[in-house]
Structure formats: structure tokens, C-alpha cells
Amino acid sequence: MEKPVELSDFLRTRRARLQPEDVGLVAYGARRRVPGLRREELAQLAGVSVTYYTRLEQGQSLNASDEVLDALARALRLSPDEHAHLRNIARPGRARPRPADRFERARTGTRQLIGAMREVPAVVVGHRNEVLAWNPLGHALLAGHLDPAAPDHRGERPNLSRMLFLDPHTRELYRGWEEEARANVAYLRLSAGRHPDDRELAALVGELSMNSPEFAALWARHPVNDCLFGSKALHHPVVGRLDLAFEAMPLPEGGGHRMLLYSAAPGSADEAALRLLAGAAAGAPAVAAGPDCGITVDGWELPGSSVNR
């Protein structure tokens, strides 16, 4: 990813989303050739010269001070994640290239931890959204159609972003696919700023841009968000409708490894459905036939052969 182009495009998209009246400026003239703030208006708000800001946006100045970047972040009303992203892409010399052939793995302790979480779907991912490890329930929840051992094999390792945009099974899994797609691209943008010399990440972005018009359109908008928590609205092929809470926990080894955890509200049908799925993933489901051809799990009656319809 060319760093001057990345910085230029990011600043332009953030200028375009603000109108003069949004920031207390008077808009003179009825017609504006470009949407959003003009360069001179943003320069005025940030307290820098128009010439300097123009050079910065054109990628001709790659050593902006913290004070200038902070002023631009305030003027553009950037979120904390966007502010951090601006600093990353404005300082390209700080990053160190990563070996292209490095095959990252989750730590043994991390694998043991997620293995002990029998009723909690857990997935360990790297900064490219590649799956480093998952427990049986995490695999069953997100990718039951794939080989459980795939994360341990080069060339077969799943990638959550690739699955989301290119795998029909994964697209059908998310009831709110568009929202999930926006969040996924926003995280990849943030990761690209943190790892600007990662050739594998650049190759992934290129692959998705070529093969998914939806990814390409979202990527061009420069969304930035760390997406550390939220909710997931799913329609699982085995247990049907699921509404789960989601947490992404950074892991201590660094390098952008995260543990993705999913949970259901206590006492809910979603929790019962997760228990059913956990039993199936373990190969010994604690399932009994209920009345009217339903399914009973720990006292919950779940109708039909696919629960939570």
C-alpha cells in the first residue's frame, strides 16, 4: 500500500464528510465543486498554512509533527481510532517490514485456554483476520463447513475477511451482512495503518478488491474502527437464529493477535442453542426429543429440527 496515497485518500474522505456549517464556518457561494470542506477551510480550522496542508494531502510531506496531526484530527472530528490511524499513515518510516514467509501460530497457553472454554465460541486471529486457532464451538459457529484443522496448515488457513466476502456459506451466516462487512473493512484499514509494510496484508486487500466489488467500494471510503465489541446477528445452518454478544480481546504476545469471544444472554433461547451446538461440536450432544417434534436442551424447548428459526 503506497503510504502517500493512503494519507492523501484518507484526508480527502474525511474532508468530504464535513460541511462548513458543521464546523462553524460560513459557506460563501451557492456552488461548491467538491463535497465537504475545502483545503483552505480545513487549514484555517487546523491553524496551518494552505500551502503546508496541500503538500501534506498530496503526500509531499511525510514528517508532520504531533501538534499538526492533533490539530487536523480535531478539525476533522476524527474518532480515537481514526486519530491513531492518521498518525500511523503519516509516519511511514516507523514501521518494520515483516518476513513474508512467517507462519504465525497461537501460543500453546492460548490454545489451552480456548480449549477449556467448552461452552464459549472462541477464535484466535492475527492482524490480517487470519484464523490462528479456534475451539470446537468457535469452529462450529463460524465455519462448520471447513476442516477443523485448517488453521494449522499453510495454504488452508481460513481468513475471516476472505470468508465474509468470498464464501457463500459465511455470507448466509450473517443476518446483517452489510453491517458486518463495514466493520470488517474498518478493522482491516486500521490494521493496514499499523502494519504498512505487510506484504501479505496488501495481497489480501488486492485479492478482495479484485474479486468483491462490495469490498472495493467499502475500502475506497476509508472506514477506520477497531471493532472491539458489539453484537452479531446470525442465522446458523444447524441452530438457526442467534443473537450473540461479541468481544475482541488483544492478546499479550503482541503482533495484533486477538481472541474473539461470543456469548448469549443468560437463560435465553440463544444460550440454549449455543449449548446444543456445543454438544454437537463435542460429538455428544445432550439433546432429547421434545413435544411436537421439538428439541429440549437443559429444559429449553427449541422448535423444529433447526432451532431459533
Side-chain angles (χ1 to χ4, degrees):
M1 302 168 194
E2 296 184 29
K3 303 168 192 69
V5 174
E6 175 79 4
L7 176 60
S8 176
D9 288 348
F10 180 73
L11 289 172
R12 281 202 298 267
T13 60
R14 293 315 182 265
R15 270 200 300 119
R17 72 183 185 183
L18 291 175
Q19 298 302 320
E21 55 268 26
D22 295 334
V23 292
L25 296 177
V26 177
Y28 295 103
R31 301 189 57 172
R32 299 172 71 88
R33 291 181 297 174
V34 295
L37 295 179
R38 295 173 173 144
R39 286 175 177 169
E40 56 268 27
E41 291 169 335
L42 178 56
Q44 175 187 341
L45 289 169
V48 299
S49 71
V50 177
T51 301
Y52 178 80
Y53 176 76
T54 300
R55 287 177 53 82
L56 184 66
E57 189 176 284
Q58 291 177 344
Q60 298 174 9
S61 178
L62 298 177
N63 293 295
S65 68
D66 288 343
E67 290 76 15
V68 167
L69 296 178
D70 292 347
L72 287 172
R74 288 192 297 270
L76 290 168
R77 300 189 175 183
L78 301 185
S79 69
D81 286 340
E82 291 173 327
H83 190 172
H85 183 66
L86 174 62
R87 285 197 174 205
N88 285 332
I89 60 179
R91 306 282 178 76
R94 296 184 304 170
R96 295 181 180 179
R98 299 173 63 89
D101 59 350
R102 179 180 177 184
F103 188 68
E104 296 190 35
R105 297 182 184 274
R107 290 189 301 112
T108 300
T110 302
R111 289 172 177 266
Q112 292 174 351
L113 178 61
I114 65 172
M117 299 178 182
R118 292 182 174 84
E119 294 189 353
V120 176
V123 181
V124 180
V125 296
H127 70 270
R128 310 177 194 97
N129 273 336
E130 71 276 26
V131 178
L132 306 179
W134 47 27
N135 65 6
L137 187 50
H139 166 254
L141 180 68
L142 298 185
H145 61 295
L146 300 181
D147 181 357
D152 294 325
H153 301 292
R154 189 185 297 272
E156 298 179 24
R157 171 170 281 175
N159 181 286
L160 297 184
S161 297
R162 184 181 289 113
M163 290 166 59
L164 184 65
F165 287 94
L166 303 182
D167 178 16
H169 296 281
T170 305
R171 180 181 286 262
E172 293 175 1
L173 177 65
Y174 291 94
R175 302 198 322 265
W177 184 88
E178 292 80 5
E179 181 180 354
E180 184 69 18
R182 287 192 295 269
N184 192 286
V185 173
Y187 170 75
L188 277 188
R189 266 291 181 190
L190 189 66
S191 185
R194 292 170 174 167
H195 307 275
D197 295 307
D198 189 322
R199 289 171 288 179
E200 291 183 40
L201 179 55
L204 173 66
V205 170
E207 175 192 353
L208 295 177
S209 297
M210 289 292 293
N211 293 294
S212 171
E214 293 147 315
F215 178 90
L218 287 170
W219 187 257
R221 298 175 194 169
H222 287 254
V224 177
N225 195 339
D226 212 0
C227 307
L228 293 176
F229 60 90
S231 60
K232 302 293 181 182
L234 309 177
H235 188 87
H236 195 273
V238 175
V239 296
R241 186 184 180 98
L242 282 170
D243 290 286
L244 303 177
F246 162 78
E247 300 281 339
M249 302 176 62
L251 294 174
E253 59 263 38
H257 291 193
R258 296 169 293 145
M259 183 186 301
L260 311 183
L261 302 173
Y262 304 81
S263 64
S268 66
D270 298 305
E271 183 183 52
L274 272 186
R275 288 179 181 174
L276 174 64
L277 188 60
V287 179
D292 300 322
C293 299
I295 295 174
T296 301
V297 183
D298 291 345
W300 270 93
E301 182 184 337
L302 304 171
S305 58
S306 181
V307 303
N308 283 0
R309 289 186 183 276

